[in-house]
Amino acid sequence: MDRRVLPYRLLRPSVGIGLLALGMLGASVSPAGATAPHPKRKEQYKAQVEKLEETWRTAQLNDDVAAMDKLLSDDYVGITMAGQVVTKMQQLDRMRNRELVVNTIVLSDVKVKLIGTTAAIVTSLADVDGTNEGASMHGTYRYTRVYSRLPTGTWKITNFEATRVEPAPPQPAGRHSRGNRE
């Protein structure tokens, strides 16, 4: 056998095995971290979603059907303050036909939770005043809105649910709260 060929043939499998081992090591180091955004990216995503929340609020207040159309995903499903299940088209029609009229929305306790790089869950407390199908709608609601991030980088609202926050029941006369005992 030619000496020049022998070392090359011996070296070749070991290089391949070394590269294979290196690739396996790299794959096993961070499979869970593969979907977690970099801290700077995470803050960017949160800021994008917070901005979209304000865009949503403004669209609701101004009956801006075109803006709402851009915000909602085609497979959007919402559960309204009255417990109705609505699709994207139904929600847009409710705005277009003024079945839902929102005069004020004051948001507080807004929290954005990212799920990897493709989803965000927003929870908030909303004080709302308006009408729903002609009936007065006034109160405080907790809501959850889910955003999905498309491969293009655009965020879309995929789900929404609102729950009315009932006022605390009055305490019977003569009872003291724990902190007021004498």
Side-chain angles (χ1 to χ4, degrees):
M1 228 202 279
D2 184 63
R3 291 183 156 221
R4 289 179 293 167
V5 174
L6 185 60
Y8 176 71
R9 286 188 178 161
L10 290 174
L11 178 67
R12 216 167 140 196
S14 64
V15 169
I17 291 170
L19 290 174
L20 179 62
L22 191 58
M24 289 173 58
L25 177 64
S28 66
V29 168
S30 63
T35 59
H38 184 277
K40 285 184 181 179
R41 179 78 62 199
K42 185 176 181 178
E43 291 308 312
Q44 288 175 340
Y45 289 166
K46 280 188 172 187
Q48 290 171 359
V49 171
E50 288 167 354
K51 185 176 178 184
L52 289 170
E53 279 294 285
E54 182 56 29
T55 302
W56 169 85
R57 190 181 83 76
T58 302
Q60 281 290 152
L61 290 170
N62 296 323
D63 292 321
D64 190 342
V65 176
M68 192 63 73
D69 184 39
K70 290 179 184 176
L71 287 168
L72 302 180
S73 67
D74 290 338
D75 62 348
Y76 168 84
V77 175
I79 301 174
T80 70
M81 297 170 191
Q84 300 163 305
V85 178
V86 294
T87 65
K88 175 181 180 175
M89 294 316 299
Q90 290 168 328
Q91 183 64 25
L92 296 177
D93 285 344
R94 287 166 44 88
M95 289 179 73
R96 202 176 282 115
N97 300 331
R98 302 199 38 89
E99 293 171 20
L100 174 66
V101 177
V102 180
N103 299 320
T104 61
I105 303 175
V106 178
L107 301 177
S108 61
D109 195 25
V110 178
K111 292 181 177 83
V112 177
K113 177 181 178 181
L114 290 177
I115 308 298
T117 60
T118 58
I121 300 170
V122 179
T123 58
S124 181
L125 192 63
D127 287 315
V128 179
D129 183 61
T131 58
N132 184 25
E133 297 181 5
S136 178
M137 176 181 63
H138 178 77
T140 302
Y141 299 85
R142 283 242 176 238
Y143 74 78
T144 301
R145 191 177 338 277
V146 179
Y147 287 84
S148 180
R149 187 169 168 273
L150 304 177
T152 62
T154 303
W155 290 94
K156 295 282 189 170
I157 300 169
T158 61
N159 296 82
F160 170 81
E161 182 172 2
T163 303
R164 185 173 180 89
V165 176
E166 296 295 332
Q171 292 186 349
R175 288 222 161 159
H176 297 281
S177 67
R178 292 176 121 179
N180 293 339
R181 289 191 177 181
E182 297 179 47

